[in-house]
């Protein structure tokens, strides 16, 4: 939707969606730009929401530096399902993952946003120099 700036309350990823909603509610809303839509199955999305603190393989595709200081906005991946109204925004800043709950993704203009089907494969990641995640091959 052009004409106004979308904002969400980002918070370092916690254990589950309920805690993310609770913790982020106290935060300040930041502008964000949706870079990609990551679509899970309904079962996968429920599992993801109940274990946000876990690391999954699809997270390695999330931009390495998700905060644009010039624009003052998070560059995010939107995690959802085709059938759900809600979604979770994910951004990585300084090697740490941040999330924001979005109660209605229909508010976003996602027409030109690339969409990718993903699964909840565990991340074969390690923490490298500077605390950043690196894929282990």
């Amino acid at each position: 939707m052009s004409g106004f700036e979308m904002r969400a309350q980002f918070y370092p990823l916690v254990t589950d969606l309920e805690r993310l909603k609770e913790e982020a509610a106290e935060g300040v809303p930041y502008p964000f730009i949706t870079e990609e839509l990551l679509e899970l199955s309904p079962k996968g999305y429920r599992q993801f929401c109940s274990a946000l603190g876990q690391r999954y393989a699809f997270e390695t595709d999330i931009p390495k530096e998700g905060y644009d200081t010039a624009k003052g906005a998070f560059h995010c991946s939107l995690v959802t399902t085709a059938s759900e109204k809600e979604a979770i925004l994910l951004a990585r800043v300084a090697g740490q993952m941040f999330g924001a709950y979005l109660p209605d993704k229909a508010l976003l203009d996602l027409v030109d946003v690339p969409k990718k089907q993903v699964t909840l494969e565990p991340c074969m990641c390690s923490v490298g120099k500077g605390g950043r995640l690196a894929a282990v091959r």
Side-chain angles (χ1 to χ4, degrees):
M1 301 185 122
S2 62
F4 67 94
E5 180 178 77
M6 294 297 297
R7 291 176 171 258
Q9 291 165 283
F10 288 86
Y11 193 80
L13 273 187
V14 290
T15 55
D16 58 57
L17 181 58
E18 290 309 313
R19 183 148 180 239
L20 178 64
K21 289 180 193 179
E22 181 180 302
E23 298 286 347
E26 303 296 321
V28 175
Y30 285 92
F32 65 89
I33 301 162
T34 306
E35 298 290 342
E36 67 180 346
L37 174 64
L38 302 176
E39 202 169 84
L40 290 164
S41 68
K43 179 181 176 184
Y45 183 74
R46 286 189 303 276
Q47 183 181 343
F48 175 69
C49 289
S50 68
L52 290 177
Q54 299 295 315
R55 294 290 142 239
Y56 299 102
F58 72 81
E59 292 178 15
T60 60
D61 295 335
I62 294 171
K64 300 298 181 223
E65 192 51 52
Y67 188 75
D68 184 335
T69 55
K71 293 182 179 179
F74 281 96
H75 288 265
C76 304
S77 298
L78 182 72
V79 181
T80 189
T81 72
S83 58
E84 287 290 327
K85 185 177 175 181
E86 68 179 21
I88 298 173
L89 293 161
L90 294 179
R92 184 177 294 127
V93 179
Q96 183 174 4
M97 198 65 88
F98 285 78
Y101 173 68
L102 191 63
D104 190 354
K105 68 184 178 199
L107 298 173
L108 303 177
D109 181 3
L110 299 171
V111 174
D112 295 326
V113 175
K115 178 169 57 169
K116 181 161 73 170
Q117 302 290 323
V118 295
T119 61
L120 287 185
E121 296 175 35
C123 182
M124 302 303 288
C125 301
S126 65
V127 178
K129 285 186 176 181
R132 294 183 186 259
L133 290 176
V136 177
R137 296 185 195 264

